[in-house]
Amino acid sequence: MRFPLALTAKIAGHIIKHKLRRTPKFAMVLQLEPLHTCNLTCTGCGRIREYSTSLKDMVSLENCLAAAEECAAPMVSICGGEPLIYPKIEELVNGLLDQGRIIYICTNAMFMRKKMRDYLAAVYSPEFEPKLKKLLAEDLVTDKEAAAIRQADPAARDKSVIRPSQWMYWNVHVDGLEFTHDLIVEREGVFKECVLAIKMAKILDYQVATNTTVYKETDVAEIEDMFKFLSSLEVDGHTISPGYDYDAAKKDMVKRLGRDPKEFFLTRTMTRQKFAKIQEWGNAFTIFGTPVYQEFLAGKRELTCTAWAIPTFNIKGWKAPCYLMTDGHYGGYHEMLEKVQWDKYGVVDGVARDPRCEHCMVHCGYDPSGALGTNYQRGDNWKNFKYNFGAKPKPYPASPELEKRAYCGVTAGKGHLSEARAAINPAAGARGAFSNEVHNHDDAHVGSHCGTGDTSERDDLLAKIKDAKK
Ligand code: SF4
Ligand code: SF4
């Protein structure tokens, strides 16, 4: 099966239950942002202007769990900021598992191996030796770390840890191959760390997904190579979504000065060009989501936004109308459902009800629409069923050639961040030392969280990368 039966059945059961009850609006995925602090400072990252990134401003564990209970979404995507910095991340994951949720920990992967070592230390017994030896052989743990795992203090055994579970996925943010990804996240070695963390997770029987955003300047051929490479690592699933950049000033220039929107936005037409092969990718790789959403991305049909099905909860409350735009925050999910005028948003039959929504085709607005049967066409249910219950695509064969294409940055000797940045942007050449400190985004970029929101800075950077590659 393409995705685990228990998970698919749980999600299908949730939809059927609400359809039978004729619930007009209900949650499918909760985007839970316990904090907005991060250890990276990616180009174009947001949640920064909008929210405090101080560690003082976090959602309490109790409120996180209460939010999940209230909206009752079967899936919870724990994002941020970097959720592995959240001091009670283990308790949060385990609390959500106790509630019976399917969990995605959306991470930049820099602390993943540490969390997995904590797990090993907590559960170690001689039975784990073959796995530990494999991790050592593949340089995924050091001798010192292995010794610490073997001799863990009995207190570590009782520690709450993140264990492998069929209900949990590490969801690693990867926006390209080594050269591109390290430049976007403004730190050398991040791509490599993502790969090491994915390899370690697979050896320890965790489920691993990746999430990727496609920008105006994203090279589609590189994304295809990225999928091949990730598939060769036996990643269990991928989310891919177009970035969306709404900016009032740009919109105003289009309106008043008659400038071409293509100068600024990943327009719907451009998104459709970028995603022309999404259905092919869906057959070749384990892409999450519905084939109906894929048809929408490829320009073969229209869908209506169902942003209420992927609500976002953070330090300010329930964010409306969606993950991207903020017209207000509400105290409760049901209060938000009642008070927001949902029919003011989205695009219906190609006509934007809110000008800010005009070019939006993002996953968090439209993927649930494919599953919930808005704009239902005959055969959609069968299509979704066949996709989810069909055979899982085989991992792409690993090869030295594929590895070479993946490690095209610092590993290939042309990714030294300061040199690469200097080549594409002389003024910025000095930024980006590799360290593991936690940053608050005081030097805030406007824009996107892990690839959503304002994409202009990333588009700029990608355009320069393209030139630099030439
Ligand atoms: S169309 Fe996009 S921007 Fe508009 S409400 Fe839906 S998800 Fe948000
Ligand atoms: S985009 Fe994600 S990983 Fe990058 S700085 Fe922002 S929150 Fe951190």
Side-chain angles (χ1 to χ4, degrees):
M1 259 187 76
R2 184 177 291 266
F3 302 114
L5 176 63
L7 271 67
T8 308
K10 189 177 188 74
I11 296 160
H14 180 75
I15 297 174
I16 292 167
K17 179 181 84 185
H18 283 288
K19 290 271 173 202
L20 291 174
R21 289 183 189 165
R22 298 184 191 278
T23 317
K25 291 184 177 63
F26 55 92
M28 293 286 294
V29 185
L30 166 62
Q31 301 268 19
L32 181 59
E33 297 177 340
L35 81 179
H36 293 106
T37 312
C38 191
N39 55 313
L40 293 182
T41 53
C42 305
T43 298
C45 175
R47 292 301 199 255
I48 297 165
R49 285 263 166 102
E50 202 171 346
Y51 300 102
S52 159
T53 56
S54 162
L55 266 177
K56 288 194 302 267
D57 294 319
M58 285 184 296
V59 185
S60 69
L61 175 65
E62 294 68 34
N63 287 350
C64 285
L65 294 173
E69 284 279 15
E70 193 207 339
C71 83
M75 292 176 274
V76 179
S77 177
I78 311 176
C79 32
E82 170 51 54
L84 295 186
I85 293 174
Y86 185 60
K88 298 215 166 159
I89 185 65
E90 288 83 2
E91 289 81 357
L92 178 57
V93 169
N94 291 323
L96 292 170
L97 287 173
D98 288 346
Q99 290 182 6
R101 317 270 167 221
I102 301 164
I103 302 166
Y104 295 82
I105 306 176
C106 298
T107 174
N108 57 41
M110 299 302 283
F111 300 121
M112 248 174 88
R113 284 200 291 162
K114 157 87 176 68
K115 292 295 180 189
M116 291 187 279
R117 289 197 301 273
D118 288 349
Y119 153 69
L120 279 172
V123 299
Y124 180 78
S125 71
E127 279 164 38
F128 276 84
E129 266 313 304
K131 285 196 169 156
L132 200 50
K133 289 209 170 93
K134 194 161 187 212
L135 295 175
L136 277 163
E138 297 196 18
D139 288 332
L140 298 168
V141 294
T142 62
D143 288 328
K144 207 172 146 194
E145 287 161 354
I149 288 165
R150 290 184 182 114
Q151 292 149 20
D153 180 303
R157 310 261 180 237
D158 299 328
K159 231 178 112 184
S160 176
V161 287
I162 301 174
R163 294 160 195 267
S165 157
Q166 65 162 333
W167 303 104
M168 193 281 277
Y169 287 85
W170 296 112
N171 191 7
V172 180
H173 162 211
V174 189
D175 275 346
L177 297 174
E178 190 182 44
F179 186 76
T180 306
H181 187 70
D182 282 0
L183 278 173
I184 285 181
V185 302
E186 301 196 15
R187 196 177 294 187
E188 258 174 35
V190 174
F191 178 83
K192 199 176 258 177
E193 183 56 39
C194 289
V195 175
L196 296 176
I198 290 171
K199 285 183 174 171
M200 181 166 175
K202 292 308 301 172
I203 290 171
L204 294 177
D205 301 323
Y206 287 92
Q207 298 189 100
V208 183
T210 58
N211 68 81
T212 301
T213 305
V214 171
Y215 301 95
K216 198 170 115 200
E217 297 293 344
T218 298
D219 178 354
V220 174
E222 179 173 346
I223 295 296
E224 240 173 69
D225 274 345
M226 186 195 75
F227 278 143
K228 287 177 189 167
F229 180 63
L230 294 171
S231 166
S232 76
L233 300 176
E234 306 201 16
V235 164
D236 300 279
H238 317 273
T239 306
I240 182 163
S241 176
Y244 181 55
D245 169 9
Y246 171 75
D247 180 287
K250 291 176 190 168
K251 194 90 203 172
D252 185 55
M253 283 170 91
V254 175
K255 207 169 156 194
R256 281 187 309 107
L257 306 175
R259 301 275 298 273
D260 185 344
K262 288 206 277 300
E263 285 178 43
F264 313 114
F265 301 111
L266 185 57
T267 59
R268 284 200 153 203
T269 310
M270 289 158 77
T271 297
R272 286 168 176 157
Q273 284 161 359
K274 296 268 180 206
F275 282 84
K277 287 170 80 181
I278 180 78
Q279 289 166 291
E280 242 176 72
W281 297 343
N283 288 330
F285 310 109
T286 40
I287 308 265
F288 286 132
T290 61
V292 171
Y293 178 57
Q294 291 171 7
E295 287 177 5
F296 169 66
L297 286 173
K300 297 187 176 165
R301 66 189 297 159
E302 288 296 342
L303 285 177
T304 304
C305 165
T306 46
W308 40 263
I310 307 198
T312 301
F313 181 76
N314 61 35
I315 189 76
K316 289 196 175 172
W318 294 89
K319 181 179 182 299
C322 66
Y323 190 70
L324 303 180
M325 291 199 304
T326 314
D327 286 349
H329 290 90
Y330 294 85
Y333 175 63
H334 291 105
E335 182 193 341
M336 177 175 82
L337 283 187
E338 271 165 35
K339 291 190 176 162
V340 173
Q341 266 185 276
W342 296 100
D343 55 7
K344 273 182 19 193
Y345 298 106
V347 178
V348 179
D349 296 330
V351 180
R353 295 194 281 204
D354 182 310
R356 295 173 297 175
C357 300
E358 189 179 348
H359 294 291
C360 174
M361 298 177 83
V362 297
H363 160 266
C364 57
Y366 290 91
D367 195 14
S369 316
L372 296 175
T374 61
N375 312 76
Y376 181 80
Q377 290 176 6
R378 211 167 150 198
D380 279 355
N381 286 341
W382 170 239
K383 236 183 266 170
N384 287 342
F385 180 87
K386 215 169 68 179
Y387 186 78
N388 284 305
F389 288 86
K392 188 174 179 171
K394 290 208 166 57
Y396 196 85
S399 70
E401 181 48 40
L402 188 59
E403 287 247 331
K404 200 172 151 201
R405 292 210 296 274
Y407 290 109
C408 52
V410 62
T411 311
K414 59 174 174 156
H416 189 274
L417 199 59
S418 55
E419 284 168 26
R421 283 188 65 81
I424 58 170
N425 182 6
R431 272 192 83 188
F434 188 26
S435 76
N436 254 343
E437 71 197 271
V438 173
H439 294 276
N440 289 333
H441 296 268
D442 296 336
D443 57 342
H445 306 289
V446 190
S448 74
H449 158 259
C450 288
T452 49
D454 186 332
T455 63
S456 52
E457 281 194 10
R458 289 189 188 191
D459 282 327
D460 264 7
L461 180 66
L462 290 170
K464 287 173 189 164
I465 290 173
K466 227 187 247 174
D467 287 347
K469 278 185 181 164
K470 272 185 216 150

mmCIF file of all heavy atoms in Angstrom, residues 38 40-42 45-46 80-82 108 173 441 448-451 458, ligand 2:
data_model
loop_
_atom_site.group_PDB
_atom_site.id
_atom_site.type_symbol
_atom_site.label_atom_id
_atom_site.label_comp_id
_atom_site.label_asym_id
_atom_site.label_seq_id
_atom_site.Cartn_x
_atom_site.Cartn_y
_atom_site.Cartn_z
ATOM 1 N N CYS A 38 13.833 29.613 16.280
ATOM 2 C CA CYS A 38 14.482 28.633 15.401
ATOM 3 C C CYS A 38 15.995 28.716 15.549
ATOM 4 O O CYS A 38 16.530 29.753 15.931
ATOM 5 C CB CYS A 38 14.076 28.875 13.951
ATOM 6 S SG CYS A 38 14.578 27.514 12.875
ATOM 7 N N LEU A 40 17.867 28.186 12.884
ATOM 8 C CA LEU A 40 18.344 28.632 11.571
ATOM 9 C C LEU A 40 17.776 30.018 11.266
ATOM 10 O O LEU A 40 16.827 30.467 11.920
ATOM 11 C CB LEU A 40 17.910 27.652 10.480
ATOM 12 C CG LEU A 40 18.526 26.251 10.515
ATOM 13 C CD1 LEU A 40 18.024 25.425 9.333
ATOM 14 C CD2 LEU A 40 20.046 26.300 10.504
ATOM 15 N N THR A 41 18.353 30.637 10.261
ATOM 16 C CA THR A 41 17.837 31.939 9.806
ATOM 17 C C THR A 41 17.709 31.880 8.291
ATOM 18 O O THR A 41 18.463 32.513 7.568
ATOM 19 C CB THR A 41 18.795 33.078 10.205
ATOM 20 O OG1 THR A 41 20.097 32.744 9.724
ATOM 21 C CG2 THR A 41 18.841 33.314 11.685
ATOM 22 N N CYS A 42 16.780 31.095 7.830
ATOM 23 C CA CYS A 42 16.659 30.868 6.381
ATOM 24 C C CYS A 42 16.259 32.149 5.652
ATOM 25 O O CYS A 42 15.503 32.963 6.170
ATOM 26 C CB CYS A 42 15.594 29.825 6.101
ATOM 27 S SG CYS A 42 15.841 28.291 6.966
ATOM 28 N N CYS A 45 12.529 33.588 5.663
ATOM 29 C CA CYS A 45 11.699 32.966 6.696
ATOM 30 C C CYS A 45 10.792 33.990 7.366
ATOM 31 O O CYS A 45 11.169 35.129 7.608
ATOM 32 C CB CYS A 45 12.547 32.302 7.757
ATOM 33 S SG CYS A 45 11.520 31.664 9.083
ATOM 34 N N GLY A 46 9.618 33.572 7.681
ATOM 35 C CA GLY A 46 8.669 34.451 8.345
ATOM 36 C C GLY A 46 8.218 33.892 9.670
ATOM 37 O O GLY A 46 8.955 33.149 10.301
ATOM 38 N N GLY A 80 6.560 25.485 13.536
ATOM 39 C CA GLY A 80 7.062 26.595 14.353
ATOM 40 C C GLY A 80 7.480 27.752 13.482
ATOM 41 O O GLY A 80 6.798 28.076 12.507
ATOM 42 N N GLY A 81 8.718 28.225 13.682
ATOM 43 C CA GLY A 81 9.907 27.862 14.446
ATOM 44 C C GLY A 81 10.345 26.402 14.253
ATOM 45 O O GLY A 81 9.880 25.715 13.367
ATOM 46 N N GLU A 82 11.307 26.057 15.071
ATOM 47 C CA GLU A 82 11.820 24.685 15.058
ATOM 48 C C GLU A 82 11.238 23.961 16.274
ATOM 49 O O GLU A 82 11.628 24.236 17.411
ATOM 50 C CB GLU A 82 13.357 24.709 15.096
ATOM 51 C CG GLU A 82 14.018 23.370 15.332
ATOM 52 C CD GLU A 82 13.523 22.264 14.410
ATOM 53 O OE1 GLU A 82 13.542 22.432 13.187
ATOM 54 O OE2 GLU A 82 13.107 21.204 14.938
ATOM 55 N N ASN A 108 13.814 21.195 10.717
ATOM 56 C CA ASN A 108 14.932 21.414 9.799
ATOM 57 C C ASN A 108 16.009 20.343 10.003
ATOM 58 O O ASN A 108 17.060 20.392 9.375
ATOM 59 C CB ASN A 108 15.510 22.823 9.944
ATOM 60 C CG ASN A 108 15.972 23.137 11.362
ATOM 61 O OD1 ASN A 108 16.575 22.313 12.038
ATOM 62 N ND2 ASN A 108 15.694 24.351 11.822
ATOM 63 N N HIS A 173 12.284 19.381 6.350
ATOM 64 C CA HIS A 173 12.196 20.465 5.372
ATOM 65 C C HIS A 173 13.391 20.379 4.423
ATOM 66 O O HIS A 173 14.536 20.504 4.851
ATOM 67 C CB HIS A 173 12.166 21.778 6.187
ATOM 68 C CG HIS A 173 12.504 23.008 5.422
ATOM 69 N ND1 HIS A 173 13.113 24.103 5.993
ATOM 70 C CD2 HIS A 173 12.323 23.323 4.131
ATOM 71 C CE1 HIS A 173 13.287 25.036 5.090
ATOM 72 N NE2 HIS A 173 12.819 24.596 3.956
ATOM 73 N N HIS A 441 14.937 35.894 15.606
ATOM 74 C CA HIS A 441 15.074 36.523 14.297
ATOM 75 C C HIS A 441 15.056 38.039 14.404
ATOM 76 O O HIS A 441 14.177 38.687 13.883
ATOM 77 C CB HIS A 441 13.951 36.069 13.381
ATOM 78 C CG HIS A 441 13.993 34.612 13.089
ATOM 79 N ND1 HIS A 441 14.637 34.086 12.013
ATOM 80 C CD2 HIS A 441 13.482 33.567 13.759
ATOM 81 C CE1 HIS A 441 14.505 32.782 12.009
ATOM 82 N NE2 HIS A 441 13.807 32.443 13.059
ATOM 83 N N SER A 448 8.376 33.943 4.892
ATOM 84 C CA SER A 448 7.727 32.655 4.918
ATOM 85 C C SER A 448 8.211 31.788 6.055
ATOM 86 O O SER A 448 9.352 31.856 6.465
ATOM 87 C CB SER A 448 8.025 31.946 3.623
ATOM 88 O OG SER A 448 9.343 31.493 3.637
ATOM 89 N N HIS A 449 7.343 30.942 6.525
ATOM 90 C CA HIS A 449 7.755 29.913 7.460
ATOM 91 C C HIS A 449 7.983 28.648 6.674
ATOM 92 O O HIS A 449 7.076 28.116 6.049
ATOM 93 C CB HIS A 449 6.671 29.679 8.496
ATOM 94 C CG HIS A 449 6.801 28.336 9.110
ATOM 95 N ND1 HIS A 449 6.014 27.291 8.735
ATOM 96 C CD2 HIS A 449 7.690 27.870 9.997
ATOM 97 C CE1 HIS A 449 6.397 26.217 9.417
ATOM 98 N NE2 HIS A 449 7.395 26.546 10.174
ATOM 99 N N CYS A 450 9.184 28.139 6.727
ATOM 100 C CA CYS A 450 9.520 26.905 6.044
ATOM 101 C C CYS A 450 8.867 26.844 4.678
ATOM 102 O O CYS A 450 8.323 25.821 4.276
ATOM 103 C CB CYS A 450 9.163 25.696 6.900
ATOM 104 S SG CYS A 450 10.289 25.529 8.274
ATOM 105 N N GLY A 451 8.895 27.924 3.967
ATOM 106 C CA GLY A 451 8.513 27.866 2.584
ATOM 107 C C GLY A 451 7.104 28.304 2.252
ATOM 108 O O GLY A 451 6.651 28.095 1.142
ATOM 109 N N ARG A 458 13.266 34.338 -1.437
ATOM 110 C CA ARG A 458 13.765 33.044 -1.925
ATOM 111 C C ARG A 458 13.802 33.021 -3.440
ATOM 112 O O ARG A 458 14.709 32.450 -4.039
ATOM 113 C CB ARG A 458 12.912 31.901 -1.377
ATOM 114 C CG ARG A 458 13.154 31.734 0.087
ATOM 115 C CD ARG A 458 12.537 30.509 0.669
ATOM 116 N NE ARG A 458 12.694 30.574 2.114
ATOM 117 C CZ ARG A 458 12.454 29.584 2.926
ATOM 118 N NH1 ARG A 458 12.033 28.450 2.462
ATOM 119 N NH2 ARG A 458 12.630 29.726 4.216
HETATM 120 S S1 SF4 B 2 12.113 28.594 7.452
HETATM 121 FE FE1 SF4 B 2 11.762 27.058 9.081
HETATM 122 S S2 SF4 B 2 13.859 26.235 9.460
HETATM 123 FE FE2 SF4 B 2 14.118 28.155 8.356
HETATM 124 S S3 SF4 B 2 14.420 29.722 9.917
HETATM 125 FE FE3 SF4 B 2 12.233 29.658 9.427
HETATM 126 S S4 SF4 B 2 11.327 28.282 10.926
HETATM 127 FE FE4 SF4 B 2 13.548 27.918 10.915
#
